Amino acid sequence: MHHFTYGVITPMLAYVASCVGAAAGLSATSRARASKDARSRSAWLLIGAIAIGGTGVWVMHFVAMLGFTVTGMPIYYDVPMTILSALVAIVVVAIGLFLVGFAGDRLPVLLTGGVVAGLGVATMHYMGMAAMRMTGHLSYTTWVVALSVVIAVVAATAALWLCVNVRGRRATTGAAMLMGVAVSGMHYTGMAALTIHGAGGEPPGGTNPIDLLGPLILGIVALTVALIFIVMMWPTEDEMRSRDEFEERLRRRGTRVGV
């Protein structure tokens, strides 16, 4: 097995994708904090879930998987399961974000969201592994799998706390870089649990990874870029709060004049 077939290219690209997705998600959730109505807050939290779950987690995983090869054993992927793994990543992150987005970062809420999101991210990872089609048989070292799940839960809990509390560009950038490290760490820990046995040869089915993953990765990245533009064009959290305070002062002044 070769986890870094193309050297540092795939892990670095995967890490960058994770950081970009996390940064976009954190920027979206900061707008959610400043949103006064439930519909607007929900929209921003959903954008955050797509950015973090889609690009920050799923794209990171499969970009890294492009660098995973087995000598004499081509790897193809099952299309439905690969797509389902992307949806799982987005949905579980959305559940966590909606929990803390509406209920706050009280410890029980934070832990519940972190466990749900973390277990979901771990599930996405192993679904992605199960989507591989090859002649070899996959087996896992139990304690390493357990460690990867613990890392996923801890990372998800920390990420949800950051989504509620991080403010400012510098803090957002630093938090996104830390989230990228956590997601990458979980991925490669999970990969370290893998062992493949069997003879080489063409897989019994599936789709070539470039033909499948290329369009999927590019599609999700393009969606994230579009979301980034939406976030950048929207007022920041501080600007939204300042606007709301200004409108509230005008309303109070108008009320006093009316009286």
Side-chain angles (χ1 to χ4, degrees), residues 60-134:
M60 180 276 144
H61 170 83
F62 279 101
V63 168
M65 289 303 295
L66 290 175
F68 176 72
T69 59
V70 182
T71 302
M73 196 178 292
I75 300 173
Y76 288 179
Y77 285 87
D78 178 84
V79 176
M81 186 167 291
T82 302
I83 295 174
L84 181 60
S85 68
L87 296 177
V88 167
I90 293 171
V91 168
V92 296
V93 171
I95 291 172
L97 288 181
F98 273 77
L99 280 173
V100 298
F102 283 96
D105 62 346
R106 291 178 292 112
L107 187 59
V109 176
L110 192 62
L111 291 177
T112 301
V115 169
V116 171
L119 291 178
V121 168
T123 300
M124 181 283 304
H125 172 86
Y126 291 105
M127 284 180 65
M129 301 300 294
M132 293 193 300
R133 295 292 175 262
M134 61 176 70

Side-chain angles (χ1 to χ4, degrees), residues 103-203:
D105 62 346
R106 291 178 292 112
L107 187 59
V109 176
L110 192 62
L111 291 177
T112 301
V115 169
V116 171
L119 291 178
V121 168
T123 300
M124 181 283 304
H125 172 86
Y126 291 105
M127 284 180 65
M129 301 300 294
M132 293 193 300
R133 295 292 175 262
M134 61 176 70
T135 54
H137 173 70
L138 279 62
S139 61
Y140 295 92
T141 303
T142 303
W143 73 267
V144 182
V145 171
L147 177 61
S148 71
V149 173
V150 170
I151 292 174
V153 171
V154 172
T157 304
L160 292 178
W161 184 88
L162 290 170
C163 286
V164 175
N165 292 281
V166 71
R167 285 174 170 79
R169 291 184 180 179
R170 288 187 179 181
T172 298
T173 300
M177 294 175 68
L178 289 174
M179 289 169 68
V181 170
V183 174
S184 298
M186 181 271 157
H187 171 82
Y188 285 108
T189 301
M191 293 302 294
L194 176 66
T195 303
I196 298 177
H197 306 277
E202 286 294 317

Side-chain angles (χ1 to χ4, degrees), residues 18-64:
S18 187
C19 290
V20 170
L26 289 170
S27 297
T29 55
S30 72
R31 271 72 174 180
R33 290 195 300 263
S35 298
K36 300 180 70 174
D37 61 282
R39 180 177 297 180
S40 176
R41 179 172 297 184
S42 297
W44 283 117
L45 291 174
L46 182 59
I47 289 174
I50 294 172
I52 296 174
T55 298
V57 175
W58 187 89
V59 169
M60 180 276 144
H61 170 83
F62 279 101
V63 168

